[in-house]
């Protein structure tokens, strides 16, 4: 971690303590230290294999039974991602966010990650804007179930609540963000006066738009990322370091101040 980060850690802790409603906007970078590849950047999955095309969801809607048969019978397009997701455990960055929630200084996490690591780390106030890989969701009423608790006795599976078609909860390329999740993100952003940008390249919307809304409402932005992003120019405090190293130090500082 850069030597001169101590001042930034202090600034981040003071800014968080001095804020009323802190929300963390989280991206793939937080789970990088848990061995899950990020999407962009030199080692990114999309950089290496190209981004999935935006017709994924159209293909699902055209023939959901075929989509399910393929999903069940065929290996994933990104086996290294699946392998990493299957074996990953939370890292110090996830636990630091949980500690901030316990300290009462972090009100909510808006995560773009589908890996369920926030929940395993013990965080509670979470909105998964891109879904959760361990769940299924009805595309009509957005009811959700743990994947291993849903009877797969027909393809495509149908929702016991409304009869709608059920798919994985992970939001596909080309699929609209589920209304309930989007509304919660908008509500959390509306209340937010300090947003922590943790491990996101801030290029995918609507998530990438939330920080600027906070800024326009007079709020502050704290970026935790070893690399610059398009939002860096608007950020008040920059922690140019891996989240798993920087966030625990911020918690220490926050706890130190309250001791
Ligand atoms: N700690 C903090 N940040 C990190 C770390 C780390 N240890 N390692 C990498 N990063 C940063 C990178 O510098 C980059 O800015 O994390 C960011 C990861 O960016 P992306 O790979 O673009 O991931 P993300 O912002 O989450 O992408 C958004 O795009 O492809 C879709 O659905 C996918 O949810 C994803 C969305």
């Amino acid at each position: 971690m850069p030597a001169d980060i101590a001042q930034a850690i202090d600034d981040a802790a003071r800014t968080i303590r001095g804020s009323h409603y802190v929300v963390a906007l989280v991206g793939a970078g937080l789970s990088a230290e848990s061995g899950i590849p990020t999407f962009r950047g030199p080692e990114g999955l999309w950089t290496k294999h190209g981004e999935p095309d935006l017709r994924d969801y159209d293909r699902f809607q055209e023939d959901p039974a075929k989509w399910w048969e393929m999903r069940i019978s065929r290996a994933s397009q990104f086996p290294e991602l699946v392998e990493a997701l299957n074996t990953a455990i939370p890292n110090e960055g996830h636990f630091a966010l949980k500690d901030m929630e316990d300290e009462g200084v972090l009100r909510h996490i808006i995560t773009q990650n589908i890996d369920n690591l926030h929940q395993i780390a013990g965080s509670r106030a979470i909105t998964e804007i891109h879904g959760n890989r361990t769940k299924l969701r009805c595309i009509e009423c957005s009811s959700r179930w743990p994947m291993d608790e849903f009877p797969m006795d027909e393809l495509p599976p149908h929702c016991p609540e409304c009869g709608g078609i059920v798919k994985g909860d992970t939001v596909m390329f080309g699929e609209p963000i589920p209304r309930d999740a989007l509304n919660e993100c908008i509500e959390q952003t509306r209340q937010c006066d300090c947003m922590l940008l943790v491990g996101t390249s801030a290029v995918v919307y609507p998530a990438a738009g939330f920080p600027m809304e906070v800024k326009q409402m007079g709020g502050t932005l704290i970026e935790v990322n070893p690399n610059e992003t398009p939002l860096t120019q608007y950020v008040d405090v920059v922690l140019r370091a891996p989240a798993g190293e920087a966030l625990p130090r911020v918690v220490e500082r926050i706890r130190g101040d309250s001791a």
Side-chain angles (χ1 to χ4, degrees):
M1 204 150 59
D4 59 352
I5 199 160
Q7 184 56 53
I9 298 272
D10 285 358
D11 297 345
R14 195 176 340 97
T15 304
I16 289 169
R17 284 195 68 71
S19 300
H20 167 67
Y21 203 95
V22 180
V23 173
L25 177 66
V26 172
L30 178 66
S31 297
E33 292 158 83
S34 295
I36 301 175
T38 61
F39 299 99
R40 297 168 189 84
E43 289 309 304
L45 214 57
W46 304 158
T47 311
K48 286 198 277 188
H49 305 292
E51 274 203 18
D53 68 32
L54 286 176
R55 292 211 64 252
D56 251 9
Y57 190 54
D58 295 344
R59 278 192 288 272
F60 170 79
Q61 288 188 299
E62 279 153 20
D63 190 343
K66 183 168 161 231
W67 182 88
W68 269 104
E69 280 147 19
M70 297 251 282
R71 174 174 161 133
I72 292 168
S73 64
R74 212 184 51 182
S76 159
Q77 249 180 309
F78 306 105
E80 72 211 77
L81 177 61
V82 174
E83 172 59 25
L85 287 166
N86 287 341
T87 53
I89 57 171
N91 65 63
E92 293 308 313
H94 294 98
F95 292 117
L97 292 177
K98 187 253 184 199
D99 293 341
M100 286 186 196
E101 188 177 356
D102 290 348
E103 291 289 326
V105 295
L106 180 65
R107 302 296 194 97
H108 205 82
I109 294 173
I110 296 173
T111 190
Q112 300 168 85
N113 300 347
I114 62 168
D115 54 36
N116 203 46
L117 294 183
H118 294 291
Q119 289 88 339
I120 298 171
S123 289
R124 299 170 299 281
I126 307 164
T127 299
E128 296 164 303
I129 189 170
H130 296 157
N132 182 307
R133 65 183 293 264
T134 69
K135 295 180 183 167
L136 297 179
R137 171 173 39 89
C138 168
I139 62 172
E140 300 305 331
C141 70
S142 288
S143 296
R144 294 177 180 83
W145 307 268
M147 205 169 277
D148 50 16
E149 290 174 18
F150 193 90
M152 295 295 287
D153 41 25
E154 60 169 347
L155 293 182
H158 285 83
C159 172
E161 314 294 328
C162 77
I165 289 174
V166 170
K167 64 178 283 294
D169 185 33
T170 301
V171 175
M172 293 177 181
F173 276 74
E175 180 180 1
I177 304 287
R179 195 72 236 173
D180 58 346
L182 188 57
N183 287 348
E184 186 60 30
C185 292
I186 292 166
E187 177 51 25
Q188 292 298 328
T189 299
R190 192 185 61 72
Q191 297 187 64
C192 176
D193 63 351
C194 172
M195 190 166 265
L196 268 178
L197 316 178
V198 182
T200 183
S201 60
V203 295
V204 174
Y205 287 76
F210 301 146
M212 289 318 290
E213 286 170 39
V214 171
K215 196 76 189 169
Q216 273 140 27
M217 294 188 291
T220 54
L221 302 178
I222 300 172
E223 184 171 72
V224 186
N225 194 319
N227 303 300
E228 287 216 354
T229 73
L231 287 178
T232 301
Q233 59 191 303
Y234 306 107
V235 161
D236 303 277
V237 180
V238 174
L239 297 176
R240 195 61 67 226
E245 294 176 22
L247 290 175
R249 300 252 326 252
V250 174
V251 172
E252 250 170 55
R253 204 75 193 81
I254 289 170
R255 285 181 170 154
D257 286 356
S258 57

